[in-house]
Amino acid sequence: MREITLSKLQDIMRECAGEDDSGLPLEDGADRLFTDLGYDSLALLETQSRIEREYGVKFPEDTFEQVTTPRELVEHVNGLVLDAA
């Protein structure tokens, strides 16, 4: 079973948003809204697609309406990974 961490989520999100490594670490903004961290809906869609491929999970349609912070996303993905195991 492979779990996602805030650090790995940050790597994925930065790649999907085309950012370098100079932004705020997600560990320091784990409870801030994605929009406050500068991630738009396109970056979140790319992130969702990549996580689904890499972790073998499928997000429900309304995931990003309910999951609004990096910490919530990590917990959500890890819950999906456990359910799939």
Side-chain angles (χ1 to χ4, degrees):
M1 175 178 55
R2 184 172 154 205
E3 291 187 337
I4 193 169
T5 62
L6 281 170
S7 178
K8 179 61 179 171
L9 176 61
Q10 179 169 314
D11 292 344
I12 291 170
M13 293 191 79
R14 284 184 174 164
E15 288 175 18
C16 289
E19 296 178 341
D20 59 22
D21 292 338
S22 62
L24 176 71
L26 288 186
E27 288 90 352
D28 295 341
D31 296 311
R32 292 178 61 189
L33 298 175
F34 286 116
T35 53
D36 292 346
L37 294 169
Y39 294 105
D40 63 12
S41 59
L42 181 58
L44 293 175
L45 183 61
E46 290 291 326
T47 298
Q48 174 181 336
S49 178
R50 175 126 173 235
I51 289 172
E52 287 179 336
R53 284 191 314 272
E54 287 188 22
Y55 289 84
V57 297
K58 181 74 176 143
F59 286 99
E61 244 179 75
D62 62 349
T63 296
F64 284 100
E65 293 171 14
Q66 299 174 7
V67 176
T68 58
T69 69
R71 185 180 317 279
E72 289 173 348
L73 182 56
V74 165
E75 291 170 357
H76 185 74
V77 170
N78 287 336
L80 292 173
V81 168
L82 283 173
D83 289 345

